[in-house]
Amino acid sequence: MFEFANMIGLMGAAVYASAYLMVQLDQLDGNSPLFSLTQLLAACLVLFSLTYHFNVASIATQIFFITASIVGLVRKTSSRVNTMDQPSPRSMAVSPPAALSDMRPPL
């Protein structure tokens, strides 16, 4: 089980590194829900390995990443739902008259 925990922790580190590299290469938006999900997954994998290789500072860091990822996901999904309920600014715009003749008062 000790070796399995190491492999899980290394997978978590690989997820962290891959997501960070993708953000730096503009392949992943650092504000996207997918980035938050990758950070959450990586933190959970590393935290699992820390149950076999206890380190207080690392556990605190992983708990922070888990909490921050969940907060980010909740904010992003709730803001997406709120913006879907509101009309777009384009639908609220007033169309200009087709021609100036439409603006003349009737004779």
Side-chain angles (χ1 to χ4, degrees):
M1 190 63 164
F2 194 73
E3 197 61 37
F4 178 71
N6 277 337
M7 293 303 295
I8 296 296
L10 286 173
M11 286 174 33
V15 172
Y16 272 134
S18 298
Y20 183 70
L21 180 62
M22 289 177 68
V23 167
Q24 296 306 311
L25 297 175
D26 291 329
Q27 299 297 313
L28 179 63
D29 181 9
N31 291 319
S32 70
L34 180 59
F35 181 72
S36 294
L37 281 173
T38 59
Q39 297 302 293
L40 179 61
L41 173 65
C44 289
L45 292 172
V46 172
L47 187 61
F48 174 81
S49 74
L50 289 171
T51 61
Y52 293 92
H53 308 283
F54 187 76
N55 180 328
V56 174
S58 293
I59 288 176
T61 302
Q62 300 316 309
I63 290 172
F64 168 78
F65 270 98
I66 290 170
T67 304
S69 296
I70 291 171
V71 167
L73 283 168
V74 168
R75 290 190 72 212
K76 288 173 182 96
T77 55
S78 67
S79 69
R80 181 176 287 168
V81 169
N82 288 342
T83 57
M84 291 174 80
D85 292 341
Q86 298 173 356
S88 68
R90 177 172 271 216
S91 67
M92 295 172 47
V94 176
S95 302
L100 290 177
S101 61
D102 294 341
M103 297 181 69
R104 289 188 199 151
L107 295 175

